[in-house]
Structure formats: C-alpha cells, structure tokens
Amino acid sequence: MTGRHRDGQPYASVYQRVWDGPARAEAERLDQVWSDWTVLYSLGKRSFYAVASWDSPQLVVVEDPTSEGLEERMQDAEMVRMLQTTPPERVEERPSAEPSGRGPARRRRSPGGKAA
C-alpha cells in the first residue's frame, strides 16, 4: 500500500488555502461591530449575509455582495424595525372657539314653540 496516509509514514503538513480571506475577515469585523446581527460571508455566492437576532415574527436576513452595501441594508432594516415598533405620535387638538360637544349656539325655545 502506498500513499501519504498509510501506517508508518511520517506526518506531512499540507498547505491550507484560505479562500476569500479578506472578505471573511471583514465579515468577522462586522459581526463584532453590529451586536444585534450575525454576519456571515458565503464562499459559494461570494456575498455577505446578516441575520438579525432580535425578536420578530419573521426572520430578518439581508444580503449584499459588498460589506458597505450590507451595512446600508442592515441600517435600513433597523429603521423599518424602529418605525414598526414605535407607536405613532399623538397629535393634540387645539381647542376651538366653539364650546366642545354642543355645536353652534342656538336659541332656546320655550315649551309653547316660541323663541325665548
């Protein structure tokens, strides 16, 4: 039997190639900077992905081929989240010149039908 892995052969180190090392390092950096997100880099698609870690009825995932674009998409998703969770501001009505609830002033009529 021949080959590198047969019994009795000395250990041989093999060069380990790191595919897309700078992109993977950038994904790790983004993962540390953005605490509400898990950031990944896909070697197969050569794209960055971020998965939101907050409670939401649906899974929030954004994707972009660049790290800058991914950060923009993450900011947009957070803005949508903030708008959905913030209750609308209450607009206070200004008091009108007319008394509230009674409408315009009317003349009272007496029981006999004549104006008083």
Side-chain angles (χ1 to χ4, degrees), residues 27-70:
E28 286 181 29
R29 185 192 71 79
L30 290 174
D31 189 47
Q32 293 173 357
V33 171
W34 292 82
S35 60
D36 288 344
W37 296 85
T38 300
V39 180
L40 310 162
Y41 180 74
S42 170
L43 289 172
K45 289 193 172 188
R46 304 229 193 279
S47 190
F48 292 90
Y49 290 88
V51 180
S53 61
W54 62 71
D55 288 335
S56 176
Q58 295 179 354
L59 182 65
V60 179
V61 180
V62 292
E63 170 197 3
D64 200 87
T66 65
S67 62
E68 295 84 10
L70 182 74

Side-chain angles (χ1 to χ4, degrees), residues 81-92:
R81 173 187 175 214
M82 189 178 351
L83 291 173
Q84 289 175 345
T85 58
T86 305
E89 289 185 23
R90 202 171 151 197
V91 179
E92 294 185 23

